[in-house]
Amino acid sequence: MSTFRFELIKEDKKTGARLGRLYTTHGVIETPTFMPVGTQATVKAMTPEELREIGAQIILSNTYHLWLRPGEEIIAEAGGLHAFMNWPHPILTDSGGFQVFSLQKIREITEDGVHFASHLDGSPLFMSPEVSIRVQNALGADIIMSFDECPPYPAERSYVEASMERTHRWAERGLRAHKRAHDQALFGIVQGGMYKDLRQRSARTLVAMDFPGYAIGGLSVGEPKETMYAMLEETTPLLPRHKPRYLMGVGSPDALLEGVMRGVDMFDCVLPTRIARNGTLFTHDGRMVIKNSQYARDFSPPDPDCTCHVCQNYSRAYLRHLFRAEEILGIRLATYHNLFFLIQLMADIRAAIREDRLLAFSERFLGRYYARDPNRAF
Amino acid sequence: MSTFRFELIKEDKKTGARLGRLYTTHGVIETPTFMPVGTQATVKAMTPEELREIGAQIILSNTYHLWLRPGEEIIAEAGGLHAFMNWPHPILTDSGGFQVFSLQKIREITEDGVHFASHLDGSPLFMSPEVSIRVQNALGADIIMSFDECPPYPAERSYVEASMERTHRWAERGLRAHKRAHDQALFGIVQGGMYKDLRQRSARTLVAMDFPGYAIGGLSVGEPKETMYAMLEETTPLLPRHKPRYLMGVGSPDALLEGVMRGVDMFDCVLPTRIARNGTLFTHDGRMVIKNSQYARDFSPPDPDCTCHVCQNYSRAYLRHLFRAEEILGIRLATYHNLFFLIQLMADIRAAIREDRLLAFSERFLGRYYARDPNRAF
């Protein structure tokens, strides 16, 4: 019997939002939740202790990267990914599907799987549902993902449909290959591109396979936000209420809130960590590019309304200096703050759902965050 | 009246080592001590909190770099360097002399000072004792350094002698320019190249100027270690017993011990932090190049005899993975460990002096550390 369970605590009356709790092998997660991305068995520039400090409950790691380096055998020999990276808390691994389809230029897709070249040294590689599940079983994450085909955007309907159907067949093969259903929950991934009827069909097909949880894949790939929200609206109502819904690759504040209000429980995105390394910080008044000259003598906190350790102890002027001086500490502090910001946002969202004020919270938060960016471009 | 004071607690019977205590504006320092280098108002990859965690008592920052960027006015406006970088503990700033003489290709040395080009944008700059002291007064460190001329190595005796005499005249000018003797202790720097009589003369000349502390400069510039030790032996006995002695730019374990045994109280060096960024770690059995393939499946601690947080929680295999994957966390963990290692070494040295067993400790420590490197090349 599996340890994995989702508890639906509350459904928002005015929106599709839910308050929930995920029980996994390595711990409990309050949802909705945002998962920091630790691609290569490390969330860039952060220690596990800091991740706990800021309230991270679960992190994501990438099967493709770890398979290539250092390899599943080394991580298994370490006792699994949790031990290897000193994060004894929930982990989700993605399947490698997205990287294989997006990182690799030279590739051949067959019914069996995907032939491609390693981005490290160009050597020929092959990934399939069976390979992906085998590697994820070795890594030992609490939640693992089906190996899916991610169509490019835009793509012709016929291509998206054929791709989706193959993804369904691959999902089935993944289920059969999975050897650790007792302690690793394998999620299915809904595809269907930007076609409402395909999204509906994909949802129904995967629901029939009875996965313990469902991701919505193939979104946030360059489509207009309104399109993404429309696809969500076609999908989440067809997914089981008592199972978690995971929107992959989304992390901007508006997408998080709009996703939550359309029934999403889990998110992951490299956005906070990636923009941090470029010196861009989230604040309640929108993004801040810390290298701008206006901050040279600004000794106020990066975000005066943020309670994180960085905003309590460091000034904008100092952070700007660190980035202009290309100092690692700048990356550390910006990363810490950005992750805290999003994780705190999710905590505020949960409180708002609990107290029946999510819509008001969302309007106030987004109104202020996008005041200078009404098109919500950033 | 100045807050600065050095208390000589104990003099080792068998060697020239001393146990001491430095009282500065921002706190007390047990000596002998090693100062991590925070060139650009940050010890690379470390937070101030981590520095305290590993036992750092005082850090060094570089006047030259901060003068160029972000500039003394911004740091003064922040409330001084301590506030700017969130390190409310002792700081020592060097004068800029070494950088000006070593970083700058195009320069003109006059009696007035040094004309050179900024390494950032090539703009023409001028530094003198007066400029250096003014900037150091603005930065606000607890201990500041005289602006000295650092002769190249090797150099002709006539050059070294003329350079030394100018350094003496500059030291006098620095004393006169110093406006914060009440809360900033200005140290003199003994020069004299590799000439015993010049070292003696320099020591006597500076002692007569009654500085609160003395550095020995112009060593560890490429000369054989035996030569450096010989120069120390000519110098420290001529320096006041009741004032601290600071050997600049030295941080290898043997040089630290040999320096302590020749009467040195303070050291600084970029070695631990620089080699950390390249994946080289100090261990009790000598340096370890973590990227080596022998560590790929080595799940033991980096240094099994180290009690630092890194060695308690991370394996060699993981650290190797981080460095091969070029992950920032690798740099963080290696830096943390290397600084802890040297700072712990100094604590062990102090305990050994206190317990009259320094020589035995030194022989045992260095015997093991250099077992695989009898020439003590690294």
Side-chain angles (χ1 to χ4, degrees):
Chain A
M1 199 187 110
S2 165
T3 41
F4 185 83
R5 186 162 68 84
F6 179 71
E7 184 186 335
L8 183 60
I9 298 174
K10 179 170 184 161
E11 285 171 301
D12 188 49
K13 293 184 189 57
K14 291 191 188 151
T15 72
R18 305 116 64 74
L19 197 64
R21 196 171 285 141
L22 266 169
Y23 294 82
T24 76
T25 306
H26 284 80
V28 185
I29 300 151
E30 309 293 326
T31 67
T33 192
F34 175 82
M35 302 182 278
V37 175
T39 298
Q40 306 195 88
T42 161
V43 176
K44 290 188 185 339
M46 296 284 284
T47 58
E49 295 84 352
E50 287 168 337
L51 287 167
R52 288 308 270 181
E53 220 170 86
I54 64 174
Q57 307 182 81
I58 170 173
I59 64 172
L60 178 149
S61 218
N62 293 98
T63 295
Y64 168 77
H65 291 82
L66 298 179
W67 178 46
L68 258 53
R69 176 180 63 194
E72 78 211 72
E73 299 90 351
I74 284 180
I75 294 181
E77 213 180 308
L81 186 53
H82 295 86
F84 187 60
M85 65 181 293
N86 189 34
W87 172 260
H89 308 291
I91 298 177
L92 180 150
T93 47
D94 75 350
S95 66
F98 182 73
Q99 280 78 32
V100 160
F101 283 94
S102 63
L103 288 184
Q104 307 321 117
K105 297 265 145 62
I106 300 159
R107 50 183 179 78
E108 191 201 351
I109 313 173
T110 69
E111 182 61 23
D112 239 19
V114 185
H115 296 264
F116 62 99
S118 159
H119 73 287
L120 289 184
D121 61 9
S123 53
L125 295 167
F126 174 72
M127 193 170 251
S128 66
E130 290 78 15
V131 171
S132 174
I133 296 300
R134 182 200 81 221
V135 175
Q136 292 187 81
N137 284 164
L139 298 178
D142 303 75
I143 300 171
I144 70 176
M145 303 304 295
S146 296
F147 184 71
D148 59 336
E149 184 183 329
C150 310
Y153 174 81
E156 299 239 341
R157 184 196 162 91
S158 57
Y159 185 95
V160 173
E161 185 170 12
S163 164
M164 177 194 77
E165 289 171 346
R166 175 144 51 204
T167 284
H168 295 165
R169 294 191 293 276
W170 283 359
E172 191 93 65
R173 283 165 54 186
L175 270 173
R176 286 199 301 273
H178 188 24
K179 296 195 178 340
R180 291 180 59 171
H182 57 283
D183 67 349
Q184 287 184 302
L186 170 59
F187 280 21
I189 305 180
V190 176
Q191 292 288 353
M194 309 303 159
Y195 301 94
K196 289 185 179 179
D197 66 313
L198 295 183
R199 284 280 168 187
Q200 291 167 1
R201 198 192 328 162
S202 186
R204 291 194 177 101
T205 306
L206 291 169
V207 167
M209 295 184 201
D210 198 27
F211 284 96
Y214 293 94
I216 301 105
L219 292 180
S220 197
V221 288
E223 79 279 9
K225 279 184 173 169
E226 289 63 41
T227 305
M228 170 165 73
Y229 302 153
M231 292 306 106
L232 280 179
E233 285 160 18
E234 295 306 320
T235 309
T236 54
L238 299 177
L239 299 173
R241 276 170 68 236
H242 293 276
K243 290 182 178 175
R245 300 85 173 269
Y246 164 28
L247 178 56
M248 308 186 79
V250 160
S252 58
D254 57 337
L256 292 173
L257 273 155
E258 300 289 351
V260 165
M261 292 193 287
R262 287 163 179 76
V264 174
D265 309 300
M266 301 159 63
F267 303 84
D268 85 279
C269 196
V270 295
L271 182 70
T273 39
R274 185 171 290 173
I275 66 174
R277 293 194 295 283
N278 283 323
T280 296
L281 276 66
F282 291 125
T283 79
H284 285 77
D285 295 298
R287 292 194 196 179
M288 174 171 66
V289 178
I290 198 63
K291 284 202 254 192
N292 282 354
S293 55
Q294 68 189 99
Y295 303 117
R297 297 177 119 98
D298 186 345
F299 300 104
S300 61
D303 180 359
D305 290 316
C306 180
T307 56
C308 86
H309 184 83
V310 174
C311 294
Q312 301 295 298
N313 289 282
Y314 298 93
S315 67
R316 293 172 172 185
Y318 182 60
L319 224 59
R320 178 177 187 269
H321 162 67
L322 292 177
F323 271 96
R324 285 168 56 80
E326 297 180 76
E327 283 286 348
I328 291 171
L329 184 59
I331 293 176
R332 282 190 56 179
L333 299 181
T335 298
Y336 185 102
H337 163 77
N338 276 4
L339 285 175
F340 181 97
F341 186 93
L342 285 194
I343 288 170
Q344 184 62 47
L345 171 59
M346 302 312 290
D348 292 344
I349 286 172
R350 293 194 297 270
I353 297 172
R354 199 175 297 121
E355 296 162 19
D356 293 310
R357 50 179 182 81
L358 178 64
L359 212 43
F361 171 80
S362 178
E363 280 162 13
R364 197 171 62 248
F365 182 91
L366 295 177
R368 182 177 170 192
Y369 186 86
Y370 290 103
R372 297 172 294 146
D373 175 24
N375 291 331
R376 300 192 179 178
F378 302 108
Chain B
M1 199 189 109
S2 165
T3 39
F4 185 84
R5 187 163 68 82
F6 178 70
E7 184 186 333
L8 183 60
I9 298 174
K10 178 168 185 163
E11 286 171 302
D12 187 51
K13 294 185 186 63
K14 291 192 190 150
T15 73
R18 305 116 62 75
L19 196 65
R21 195 171 286 140
L22 267 169
Y23 294 83
T24 77
T25 307
H26 284 81
V28 185
I29 300 151
E30 309 294 325
T31 66
T33 191
F34 176 81
M35 303 183 276
V37 176
T39 299
Q40 305 194 91
T42 162
V43 177
K44 289 187 186 337
M46 296 284 284
T47 58
E49 294 85 348
E50 286 168 337
L51 286 167
R52 288 308 271 182
E53 221 170 86
I54 62 174
Q57 308 182 80
I58 171 173
I59 63 172
L60 178 149
S61 218
N62 293 96
T63 295
Y64 169 77
H65 291 83
L66 298 179
W67 178 46
L68 258 53
R69 178 180 63 195
E72 76 212 75
E73 300 91 350
I74 284 181
I75 294 181
E77 215 181 304
L81 187 52
H82 296 84
F84 187 61
M85 63 181 293
N86 189 34
W87 171 261
H89 309 291
I91 297 177
L92 180 150
T93 46
D94 75 351
S95 65
F98 183 73
Q99 281 78 30
V100 159
F101 284 94
S102 63
L103 289 184
Q104 307 321 116
K105 296 269 145 58
I106 300 160
R107 50 182 178 79
E108 191 200 354
I109 311 172
T110 70
E111 183 59 23
D112 238 19
V114 187
H115 296 265
F116 60 100
S118 158
H119 74 288
L120 291 183
D121 61 10
S123 53
L125 295 167
F126 173 74
M127 192 172 251
S128 66
E130 290 77 14
V131 171
S132 173
I133 296 300
R134 184 200 81 219
V135 175
Q136 293 188 80
N137 284 165
L139 299 178
D142 302 74
I143 301 170
I144 68 176
M145 303 304 297
S146 295
F147 183 72
D148 59 334
E149 184 183 330
C150 311
Y153 174 82
E156 299 239 341
R157 185 197 162 87
S158 57
Y159 184 94
V160 173
E161 185 168 13
S163 164
M164 177 194 76
E165 289 170 347
R166 176 145 53 203
T167 284
H168 296 165
R169 295 191 294 274
W170 282 0
E172 192 92 65
R173 284 166 54 186
L175 268 173
R176 286 200 301 272
H178 188 24
K179 296 196 179 339
R180 291 180 59 173
H182 56 283
D183 67 349
Q184 287 184 304
L186 170 58
F187 280 22
I189 306 180
V190 176
Q191 293 286 352
M194 310 302 159
Y195 301 94
K196 289 184 178 178
D197 65 313
L198 294 184
R199 284 280 169 187
Q200 293 167 0
R201 200 199 317 170
S202 187
R204 293 195 176 100
T205 307
L206 290 170
V207 167
M209 295 185 202
D210 198 28
F211 285 95
Y214 293 93
I216 302 104
L219 293 179
S220 196
V221 289
E223 79 280 11
K225 280 183 173 170
E226 290 64 37
T227 305
M228 170 165 73
Y229 302 153
M231 292 304 107
L232 280 178
E233 285 158 19
E234 293 308 319
T235 309
T236 54
L238 299 175
L239 299 174
R241 276 169 68 235
H242 293 277
K243 291 181 178 176
R245 299 84 172 270
Y246 164 28
L247 178 56
M248 308 185 79
V250 160
S252 58
D254 58 338
L256 292 173
L257 273 154
E258 300 289 351
V260 165
M261 292 193 287
R262 287 164 178 78
V264 175
D265 310 299
M266 302 160 62
F267 303 84
D268 85 279
C269 196
V270 294
L271 182 69
T273 40
R274 185 171 290 172
I275 66 173
R277 292 195 295 283
N278 283 323
T280 297
L281 276 65
F282 292 124
T283 79
H284 285 77
D285 295 298
R287 292 195 197 178
M288 174 171 65
V289 179
I290 197 63
K291 285 203 254 191
N292 282 356
S293 55
Q294 68 190 96
Y295 302 118
R297 298 178 117 100
D298 186 342
F299 300 104
S300 61
D303 180 359
D305 290 316
C306 180
T307 57
C308 86
H309 185 84
V310 174
C311 293
Q312 301 295 298
N313 289 280
Y314 298 93
S315 67
R316 292 172 173 185
Y318 183 61
L319 223 59
R320 177 177 187 269
H321 162 68
L322 291 176
F323 272 96
R324 286 168 56 82
E326 296 180 81
E327 284 285 348
I328 291 172
L329 183 60
I331 292 177
R332 282 190 57 180
L333 299 181
T335 299
Y336 185 102
H337 162 77
N338 276 3
L339 285 175
F340 180 97
F341 186 92
L342 285 194
I343 288 171
Q344 185 61 48
L345 171 59
M346 301 312 290
D348 292 343
I349 286 172
R350 293 194 297 271
I353 297 172
R354 200 176 296 124
E355 296 162 17
D356 294 310
R357 52 180 181 81
L358 179 64
L359 213 42
F361 171 81
S362 177
E363 282 163 12
R364 198 171 60 247
F365 182 91
L366 294 177
R368 181 177 170 193
Y369 186 86
Y370 290 103
R372 296 172 296 148
D373 175 25
N375 290 330
R376 300 194 180 176
F378 302 109

